[in-house]
């Protein structure tokens, strides 16, 4: 076993907690390929999360073990002493509360915020087994189920309503279950996925998201009905061309008669 203690805590304080003023380093040890930093809170007290009253009366202390980004191929762990304060407000239902370290880690988390951000980038790029293999090579030590769980826990990204909307159906179970994918044609990104390819969900989506100017859609009957209602045209003209793939596509706009996207030389079809 190799064990040492680093007395220059100011160096580790600036290295590990740069930009985090709420933590002081007490000691640093290294053993079995893992560097462990012993730290505690610096502030005298904290505000109650419920009533907001400041308190410096300590009820007790406990230890949190936070895994952090690796340091020169060594595992890195922060052993953090957390105080529980007593809320002195008689009207507050919370009797005690834990010392917050919002910039270092989320409550009850086992990883630091910066390690979580690094794992999120791996998750979104690879996820699953491939992400777990890369995380192991980087020294993060997160399994595939941990990565998948983090992907599922991420909030859905919020996008603005696309000006040019692509609409097409796909088979979840061929011949039985179909869904609809909505894409932004200009940005080449998925905007939403609807549970069916019927007209109702697509028409409701168009009502909830004003701002669509052009619809490029597939040939499913539900899409035709929804796009026709969006154009206030009960009978859109039949599709005559293909875009080079398997599904006929048609382009509808509000400012001019519907135009289908087909082979070169095909013209515009006006509304009746």
């Amino acid at each position: 076993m190799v064990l040492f203690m680093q007395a220059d805590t100011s160096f580790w304080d600036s290295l590990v907690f740069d930009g985090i003023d709420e933590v002081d380093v007490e000691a640093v040890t290294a053993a079995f390929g893992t560097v462990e930093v012993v730290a505690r809170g610096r502030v005298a007290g904290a505000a109650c999360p419920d009533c907001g009253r400041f308190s410096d009366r300590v009820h007790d202390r406990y230890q949190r073990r936070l895994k952090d980004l690796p340091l020169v191929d060594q595992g890195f762990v922060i052993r953090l002493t957390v105080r529980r304060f007593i809320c002195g407000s008689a009207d507050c239902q919370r009797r005690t509360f834990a010392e917050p370290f919002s910039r270092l880690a989320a409550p009850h988390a086992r990883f630091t915020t910066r390690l979580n951000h690094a794992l999120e980038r791996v998750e979104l790029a690879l996820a699953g087994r491939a992400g777990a293999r890369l995380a192991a090579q980087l020294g993060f030590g997160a399994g595939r189920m941990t990565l998948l769980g983090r992907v599922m826990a991420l909030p859905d990204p919020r996008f603005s309503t696309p000006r040019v909307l692509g609409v097409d159906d796909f088979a979840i179970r061929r011949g039985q279950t179909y869904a609809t994918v909505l894409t932004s044609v200009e940005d080449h990104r998925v905007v939403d996925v609807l549970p069916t390819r019927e007209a109702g969900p697509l028409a409701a989506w168009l009502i909830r998201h004003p701002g669509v100017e052009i619809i490029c859609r597939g040939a499913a009957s539900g899409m035709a009905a929804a796009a026709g209602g969006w154009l206030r045209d009960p009978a859109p003209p039949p599709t005559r061309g293909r875009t080079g793939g398997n599904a006929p596509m048609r382009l509808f706009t509000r400012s001019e008669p519907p135009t289908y996207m087909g082979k070169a030389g095909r013209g515009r079809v006006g509304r009746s």
Side-chain angles (χ1 to χ4, degrees), residues 115-143:
L115 178 55
N116 272 326
H117 290 165
L119 286 173
E120 286 175 6
R121 290 192 288 268
V122 173
E123 295 155 11
L124 294 175
L126 297 174
R129 290 184 175 87
R133 288 194 294 269
L134 178 59
Q137 291 294 321
L138 295 173
F140 296 164

Side-chain angles (χ1 to χ4, degrees), residues 204-247:
W205 192 96
L206 291 170
I207 293 174
R208 294 194 307 269
H209 299 83
V212 176
E213 299 179 11
I214 302 172
I215 296 179
C216 180
R217 70 164 182 83
S221 60
M223 298 179 195
W230 176 77
L231 286 166
R232 294 181 173 83
D233 183 0
T239 300
R240 298 176 57 189
R242 290 181 179 266
T243 61
N246 293 325

Side-chain angles (χ1 to χ4, degrees), residues 4-120:
F4 72 90
M5 181 170 290
Q6 173 59 260
D8 187 8
T9 56
S10 60
F11 166 77
W12 292 96
D13 188 54
S14 61
L15 176 67
V16 180
F17 302 109
D18 183 29
I20 303 176
D21 299 330
E22 55 197 12
V23 177
D24 273 334
V25 174
E26 294 183 324
V28 180
T29 59
F32 303 109
T34 300
V35 178
E36 183 176 85
V37 173
V38 181
R40 59 176 176 80
R42 176 180 297 175
V43 297
C48 174
D50 286 355
C51 67
R53 179 171 179 173
F54 181 84
S55 174
D56 57 0
R57 298 172 56 196
V58 178
H59 178 265
D60 61 3
R61 293 174 173 84
Y62 65 94
Q63 296 282 333
R64 285 184 68 180
R65 189 177 186 274
L66 300 172
K67 191 171 184 179
D68 203 352
L69 292 170
L71 178 66
V72 195
D73 295 331
Q74 302 289 309
F76 201 89
V77 175
I78 300 172
R79 185 153 55 88
L80 184 65
T81 300
V82 183
R83 294 168 291 178
R84 291 195 68 85
F85 295 105
I86 300 173
C87 180
S89 175
D91 299 330
C92 183
Q93 295 183 351
R94 186 185 293 268
R95 306 278 24 114
T96 64
F97 59 92
E99 182 178 9
F101 295 94
S102 56
R103 301 182 64 181
L104 179 62
H108 312 294
R110 295 183 295 111
F111 296 160
T112 62
T113 300
R114 56 194 167 211
L115 178 55
N116 272 326
H117 290 165
L119 286 173
E120 286 175 6

